[in-house]
Amino acid sequence: MLEQHYRHLQHLEAAINACAFSVSIDTLGIITAVNLQVTAVLQTSPDQLIGRSFTSVLPPENPLQWFGWLSKALEGTPARGEIGFNLSSDQPLWLEAGCSAITNEAGEIIGCLLIGMDITTRKLAAIKQELNEIYYSQVLENLPLGLQQFAANGDSIDMNSRQREIWGSAHPFFTNPGYNWLQDPFYRLNGLASIFEEARDTGKTIKKEILLRYREKRIRNITRLYPVYFEATVFPLTDKARNTANIFLILDDITEKKLSELSLQKSERLLDNIIENLPIGYIQFDNFGFIRRINQTQRIFFNSPNPAMRQPFNVMTDELAIAFELDKLFVQALDQNKTLRVEKKIDFSQDSRWTTVAREVYLDLTVFPVVEPVDKEMIVVALINDITDKKAQEEENKKNQVFLQQTGNIGKIGGWELEMNTGVMRWTDESYLIHGCHPAMGELTLEKALSFYSDEARDTLRALLRACRDSGKAFDVHLTVLANGQQKRVRFIGQPGYEDGQLVRLYGVVQDVTEHWEIKDALTRNTELMRLFFDTIDMGYAAMEKNGNLNFLNRKAEKMIGHPVAIGSNIFEEFPRLSGTVFYPRLQECIEHQTSQSFGIYFSGADKWYDFLLTPMQDGGISVFMRDITDSRKMQKELRKANEQLSNLNKNLVNQNKQLEDFAHITSHNLRAPIANLKALMLMHNEASSQQERDLYLGMLHEVIKKIDETLNDLVEVVQIRKDVNVEKERLVFAERLQKVMDILLVDIETSNIKITYNFDAATTLEYPKVYLDSILQNFITNAIRYRSPEREPALHLETSKMNDNIVLTVQDNGVGIDMERFGNKLFGFRKTFHKNKDAKGIGLFITKTQVEAMGGNIRAESRPGEGTKFIITFRNE
């Protein structure tokens, strides 16, 4: 019977070796035996595996899970389930396994046995599927489009966040469980329900634009409604039997695009209306010369017959158009692709087919090509202005020339004209008088006229006349003239003259401005003298009008403004830093009350302090005196800062003296007992009779020395904190620092299953040493984990607030709590513990209190046994 049982065990072992992994491990985690499956996977002989640490051979994918299994097995409780190992960086191993204890003949647990089936392929597929589901779920959830899934009958199944945002939280989809949206009158009216039904019935994808709702906007106590347009796409999905399984709705907000289209349509209608009502004629030709459009003004001008009586008009074949070369004008505009403007005299009495004007008129024609934006064809537009009356007025102007010459004599203004085809120059009598000569001097040419000017003026005038001739550019310049040995200043003005689009002359006026120039020179000299005077004073000065336009400013003022300033410019444009300051209201007070105003302004961007004095002047202007007082202000600031530092130093010295007294008391109290123990143990060691007893006392000595070392290290840390009162501070974000500490304590947080929440909206940042804040947060989290209640899930909430310009942080847990009546005065003491937790050392809260107080803050606690603890930390605002 025993032999049969032995054979059965051999068969069982062979079966396990054939299809399962089997590893034996002792209580220290060392491999004691492996089967063939293990050596085959690891490609290593048993001799190279036995005696090695199990985790060094098969690193667990989740160390917490593996050590949990190992602990249970060594306690006699089998562990079963899926477990993963990392054979290499890219080769995982997953087992459906069990881990159970191995006992000896005496029933003592001497190790454990791990047996498992390889499920790597199945597990990796499941992980990949799970990751794919998460990936596609995130993609759909974060789509910028609304996506909603419906059953065939219209019931909503699911939707992404964008779709929920589109509907709004108050929509019946979310508030009315029995809501049938396909029967909703609004969705039947805007067509969304019919789109859904059409896609469901036909199995096709349907896309249409719909007006989904109206949005309210409140502007100056007036509520306006604005339409919201969406592009709706509905498509069905079928099952294997080709039956409609689900129907999806995609909503894309096209309000901006739709409103742009509507605005474009309005603009087109507006343009048509503008063209139709232009005060001048408008004719549009296609590129073959046929008329495509005539506006109302042109129709009235032509006094056209009924359209049914007219023949189609083509500018290239019409006899009247050819006779007056309108066909050439059309071709020239197309060939040269530029705007042409000409004056034409046309006798409309020669044609009665398409106009009844029947008289001779002067027309100002502007012809230009345009690319039609839709068909991309070239069209030609002609703007037609009847200038018959204008030409008549020109004749009247010629009659008034004599009168103008007489007035020119009074104003010392003469006329001039240069014919382009002959080069002959003509002057009025006043022009001859200005140049110190007489009309009897003979024919006047351009070169003879230029001989009256200085060399520099002659070159300038030649260049201006050339530019006016070549590009039609008018000019207005002051020049020097030598008249009968007398030097004069003249103002020379010129412009081109065209006839039928051709330049025929240059003409203009010349004015004697010698007297005006002398006055200006005197004024300039006076201005320079005033500038010289004001440049000698050590402050900025400016004279300006009431509207801020500058009449004068000295170099000191320009330096304070930061760049050269032109006379006539506005002080608020040249010195934009004044905007938004008290300068403008003080200027108004100075103007209204005619009293001087003195004030200072700090410019934060430039870090400058300026003193200003505004004084009204008798001519209505304002004098502005400004002085840079930045250095004196900074000196005052540095003095105040030095006084504050001396005050803080005095406070720190007083505080440090108090801390030294406390520290001396703590040191003597916490080291007295361990040193007394050392003396007693040394005495007992020396008096011990046996080596075993002496070894026992030596072990106890090592333990006491270890405790003394820990106490000294803790005291040194406290000393360092109290010493570094000027440790460097940074602008810290509460949420970022909390996340950093949570990352460090990730294993403890996951193991304890503690829920950590926070609300830092009231105060998101803090100016504080990073190492102190991290240490404070870490102590509160570890305390909440260490002193959690076994009766409920552990939780910790952190929240900030502001009080008297200080930042307050509250940290509240739901742990076992503290009896504040018994231990409140010792809560933050050195090496003070109030629970039987074996990990408690009584140093964390003492360190936290030391760090907070080192920075000038304070900490207190509120707690009751069984109800958790709330810590309130006040950070002093520097």
Side-chain angles (χ1 to χ4, degrees):
M1 185 69 181
L2 183 61
E3 183 179 353
Q4 183 179 2
H5 180 67
Y6 179 71
R7 285 199 302 272
H8 177 72
L9 291 176
Q10 286 181 323
H11 291 319
L12 181 60
E13 182 180 4
I16 292 173
N17 288 333
C19 61
F21 289 74
S22 174
V23 181
S24 298
I25 308 165
D26 65 14
T27 57
L28 298 178
I30 305 301
I31 298 175
T32 57
V34 296
N35 71 347
L36 296 177
Q37 286 290 333
V38 176
T39 57
V41 169
L42 298 178
Q43 299 181 356
T44 308
S45 65
D47 294 341
Q48 293 177 326
L49 296 176
I50 296 172
R52 293 177 59 185
S53 168
F54 176 82
T55 54
S56 67
V57 175
L58 289 172
E61 191 271 339
N62 185 344
L64 290 177
Q65 180 190 13
W66 164 246
F67 288 115
W69 278 29
L70 183 63
S71 298
K72 287 183 178 180
L74 294 177
E75 292 173 358
T77 304
R80 295 181 180 84
E82 295 179 355
I83 190 167
F85 300 95
N86 298 314
L87 301 182
S88 64
S89 60
D90 58 350
Q91 186 180 359
L93 172 66
W94 283 91
L95 300 177
E96 180 72 40
C99 185
S100 56
I102 300 175
T103 58
N104 56 16
E105 295 178 354
E108 297 174 341
I109 295 176
I110 60 173
C112 64
L113 177 65
L114 175 68
I115 299 177
M117 302 295 294
D118 187 351
I119 60 168
T120 303
T121 302
R122 185 186 75 192
K123 183 65 176 179
L124 292 180
I127 292 174
K128 182 177 181 181
Q129 181 179 358
E130 182 180 356
L131 292 175
N132 286 339
E133 289 177 355
I134 294 173
Y135 172 77
Y136 288 112
S137 174
Q138 291 177 346
V139 169
L140 295 177
E141 183 64 19
N142 292 283
L143 275 175
L145 309 175
L147 178 64
Q148 188 169 3
Q149 180 183 2
F150 293 93
N153 63 355
D155 290 340
S156 177
I157 298 175
D158 196 8
M159 67 183 76
N160 67 357
S161 58
R162 174 58 182 148
Q163 188 74 350
R164 289 190 290 271
E165 180 184 334
I166 291 172
W167 291 129
S169 59
H171 195 278
F173 273 130
F174 312 113
T175 60
N176 187 357
Y179 172 65
N180 187 342
W181 74 279
L182 293 178
Q183 300 304 318
D184 190 320
F186 179 78
Y187 296 119
R188 302 214 67 83
L189 180 63
N190 73 357
L192 185 58
S194 61
I195 296 174
F196 182 91
E197 292 168 347
E198 183 180 353
R200 179 185 63 189
D201 298 340
T202 63
K204 298 179 180 179
T205 298
I206 309 297
K207 180 186 291 186
K208 290 184 180 179
E209 294 179 357
I210 61 170
L211 173 60
L212 190 63
R213 64 172 179 270
Y214 289 88
R215 180 185 294 125
E216 291 185 357
K217 286 187 178 179
R218 191 168 181 84
I219 303 174
R220 296 192 183 98
N221 298 325
I222 298 176
T223 300
R224 298 184 182 273
L225 293 178
Y226 292 86
V228 180
Y229 293 94
F230 280 82
E231 182 179 72
T233 304
V234 182
F235 60 92
L237 293 182
T238 59
D239 56 19
K240 294 182 179 179
R242 310 298 293 178
N243 297 319
T244 300
N246 296 113
I247 300 177
F248 286 86
L249 167 65
I250 297 176
L251 290 179
D252 184 12
D253 190 343
I254 59 169
T255 303
E256 186 174 349
K257 171 187 171 186
K258 188 68 176 178
L259 293 180
S260 297
E261 291 177 356
L262 294 174
S263 177
L264 180 60
Q265 293 173 5
K266 291 179 182 178
S267 298
E268 290 175 351
R269 290 194 297 270
L270 177 61
L271 179 60
D272 289 342
N273 191 40
I274 291 173
I275 291 174
E276 191 65 20
N277 293 280
L278 279 174
I280 62 175
Y282 175 92
I283 303 178
Q284 186 182 113
F285 300 89
D286 64 16
N287 56 356
F288 297 106
F290 287 100
I291 289 181
R292 294 175 56 171
R293 179 176 182 177
I294 300 177
N295 74 343
Q296 175 178 269
T297 303
Q298 190 64 30
R299 290 195 299 272
I300 294 173
F301 170 74
F302 280 157
N303 194 19
S304 301
N306 188 287
M309 299 174 61
R310 291 202 309 263
Q311 297 294 326
F313 177 84
N314 188 301
V315 72
M316 299 298 295
T317 59
D318 183 77
E319 293 178 0
L320 184 68
I322 294 173
F324 291 97
E325 298 184 342
L326 298 179
D327 58 334
K328 293 182 180 179
L329 191 62
F330 174 84
V331 172
Q332 186 181 1
L334 276 178
D335 290 346
Q336 297 180 6
N337 192 25
K338 68 177 184 179
T339 300
L340 303 175
R341 183 174 181 180
V342 297
E343 291 182 0
K344 287 282 187 182
K345 183 172 72 172
I346 301 176
D347 186 1
F348 283 106
S349 63
Q350 298 181 20
D351 190 288
S352 59
R353 291 174 303 155
W354 54 279
T355 177
T356 58
V357 174
R359 62 187 175 90
E360 188 177 74
V361 298
Y362 285 91
L363 298 180
D364 180 3
L365 299 176
T366 302
V367 183
F368 55 92
V370 179
V371 177
E372 208 277 332
V374 178
D375 299 329
K376 304 301 181 182
E377 294 180 353
M378 187 73 76
I379 62 176
V380 176
V381 172
L383 301 178
I384 303 172
N385 193 16
D386 183 0
I387 60 171
T388 306
D389 295 337
K390 174 185 175 185
K391 282 294 184 180
Q393 185 64 41
E394 288 180 356
E395 293 297 327
E396 184 67 22
N397 291 341
K398 291 179 181 179
K399 297 178 182 179
N400 295 329
Q401 231 174 14
V402 176
F403 173 74
L404 293 176
Q405 287 179 350
Q406 293 173 349
T407 57
N409 292 336
I410 298 173
K412 296 183 179 181
I413 300 174
W416 65 270
E417 183 181 64
L418 175 64
E419 290 186 358
M420 301 308 300
N421 57 345
T422 64
V424 173
M425 192 108 180
R426 282 191 291 271
W427 279 353
T428 64
D429 291 343
E430 186 64 25
S431 294
Y432 282 104
L433 183 62
I434 291 173
H435 289 83
C437 55
H438 193 272
M441 64 181 291
E443 185 181 48
L444 183 65
T445 62
L446 176 61
E447 289 302 319
K448 188 179 290 187
L450 292 175
S451 65
F452 290 95
Y453 292 85
S454 65
D455 294 340
E456 181 181 357
R458 191 180 305 128
D459 293 339
T460 300
L461 194 52
R462 276 202 183 96
L464 292 172
L465 290 169
R466 190 182 306 113
C468 185
R469 178 197 66 193
D470 296 341
S471 61
K473 184 178 180 181
F475 59 88
D476 185 346
V477 64
H478 287 81
L479 302 170
T480 300
V481 172
L482 299 174
N484 295 327
Q486 181 183 3
Q487 194 175 68
K488 292 184 179 181
R489 292 291 293 182
V490 298
R491 183 183 180 188
F492 205 98
I493 302 173
Q495 64 182 38
Y498 296 92
E499 290 183 7
D500 296 330
Q502 298 295 323
L503 178 67
V504 296
R505 63 192 178 112
L506 302 180
Y507 66 99
V509 297
V510 59
Q511 181 183 12
D512 185 350
V513 294
T514 304
E515 184 178 351
H516 171 74
W517 200 266
E518 290 173 351
I519 294 173
K520 184 179 178 180
D521 284 344
L523 181 62
T524 302
R525 286 194 297 272
N526 291 336
T527 302
E528 288 300 320
L529 289 173
M530 184 172 67
R531 178 180 294 278
L532 181 63
F533 168 74
F534 280 106
D535 282 343
T536 59
I537 63 176
D538 188 25
M539 67 171 57
Y541 173 77
M544 69 180 187
E545 304 293 339
K546 293 179 180 179
N547 61 1
N549 290 341
L550 294 165
N551 297 325
F552 173 82
L553 72 166
N554 66 355
R555 290 189 178 87
K556 187 71 174 181
E558 286 188 337
K559 182 178 179 181
M560 295 172 71
I561 291 175
H563 59 268
V565 178
I567 299 301
S569 58
N570 192 278
I571 191 171
F572 293 103
E573 295 176 357
E574 299 293 340
F575 202 1
R577 286 180 289 175
L578 291 177
S579 299
T581 68
V582 299
F583 187 91
Y584 183 77
R586 290 298 186 91
L587 174 61
Q588 298 306 309
E589 289 184 24
C590 178
I591 295 171
E592 292 175 7
H593 302 293
Q594 288 295 296
T595 58
S596 298
Q597 301 290 323
S598 178
F599 55 92
I601 299 178
Y602 174 67
F603 300 106
S604 58
D607 191 24
K608 292 284 188 180
W609 277 99
Y610 287 173
D611 260 355
F612 288 90
L613 174 62
L614 305 181
T615 302
M617 295 188 291
Q618 291 182 354
D619 62 356
I622 304 295
S623 287
V624 182
F625 296 90
M626 58 187 90
R627 188 160 54 93
D628 188 343
I629 59 169
T630 304
D631 293 339
S632 63
R633 283 279 187 169
K634 288 185 176 180
M635 189 177 298
Q636 293 174 8
K637 185 177 179 181
E638 290 297 327
L639 183 60
R640 287 196 301 269
K641 185 177 179 181
N643 289 334
E644 290 176 359
Q645 289 177 345
L646 287 173
S647 177
N648 291 334
L649 179 60
N650 185 49
K651 292 178 182 178
N652 289 335
L653 288 173
V654 173
N655 186 39
Q656 287 182 3
N657 287 335
K658 178 64 169 62
Q659 291 177 354
L660 284 173
E661 294 177 6
D662 295 342
F663 183 71
H665 175 74
I666 292 170
T667 304
S668 62
H669 179 272
N670 287 278
L671 294 181
R672 185 181 295 116
I675 292 173
N677 288 337
L678 279 176
K679 290 181 178 179
L681 287 171
M682 287 297 296
L683 181 61
M684 288 187 286
H685 174 272
N686 294 334
E687 295 177 354
S689 58
S690 66
Q691 184 61 38
Q692 182 177 3
E693 189 176 358
R694 283 193 294 272
D695 291 342
L696 175 63
Y697 291 140
L698 279 177
M700 296 172 69
L701 280 170
H702 286 309
E703 190 64 28
V704 171
I705 292 171
K706 179 181 178 182
K707 294 296 183 181
I708 292 175
D709 183 60
E710 290 179 359
T711 300
L712 287 173
N713 287 335
D714 291 338
L715 290 172
V716 168
E717 183 177 356
V718 173
V719 170
Q720 188 63 36
I721 292 171
R722 289 175 169 175
K723 177 182 177 182
D724 294 340
V725 293
N726 293 320
V727 65
E728 183 179 354
K729 299 178 184 178
E730 305 176 47
R731 175 61 61 180
L732 305 176
V733 179
F734 275 109
E736 292 180 359
R737 301 321 306 165
L738 177 60
Q739 186 61 50
K740 180 71 174 179
V741 173
M742 290 171 62
D743 292 342
I744 295 173
L745 301 175
L746 177 62
V747 175
D748 292 338
I749 292 173
E750 290 187 353
T751 304
S752 64
N753 199 29
I754 188 170
K755 181 180 181 182
I756 299 177
T757 59
Y758 64 87
N759 179 5
F760 298 143
D761 292 343
T764 59
T765 62
L766 175 68
E767 193 81 18
Y768 214 69
K770 183 192 298 182
V771 65
Y772 284 7
L773 185 59
D774 287 358
S775 173
I776 292 168
L777 295 175
Q778 182 170 330
N779 274 330
F780 285 133
I781 294 175
T782 53
N783 276 357
I785 295 173
R786 185 175 294 131
Y787 302 116
R788 61 186 182 273
S789 173
E791 299 175 358
R792 50 187 171 269
E793 289 291 327
L796 180 68
H797 181 72
L798 301 92
E799 186 166 343
T800 57
S801 60
K802 289 187 176 181
M803 181 181 297
N804 298 329
D805 294 331
N806 292 328
I807 296 176
V808 178
L809 172 65
T810 59
V811 184
Q812 187 163 6
D813 62 43
N814 65 344
V816 296
I818 302 170
D819 188 344
M820 297 297 289
E821 292 183 0
R822 295 179 57 193
F823 306 117
N825 60 339
K826 301 178 181 179
L827 180 60
F828 297 101
F830 185 75
R831 293 288 187 181
K832 300 297 182 182
T833 58
F834 314 105
H835 300 286
K836 296 181 179 180
N837 191 309
K838 62 180 181 179
D839 297 327
K841 297 181 179 180
I843 187 64
L845 288 179
F846 181 75
I847 292 293
T848 298
K849 182 175 184 293
T850 303
Q851 291 170 331
V852 170
E853 292 181 346
M855 292 294 106
N858 61 75
I859 181 172
R860 60 188 180 87
E862 298 174 359
S863 181
R864 297 178 68 178
E867 297 182 5
T869 304
K870 178 179 181 181
F871 293 96
I872 301 96
I873 307 96
T874 301
F875 298 104
R876 187 179 68 180
N877 185 19
E878 294 293 342

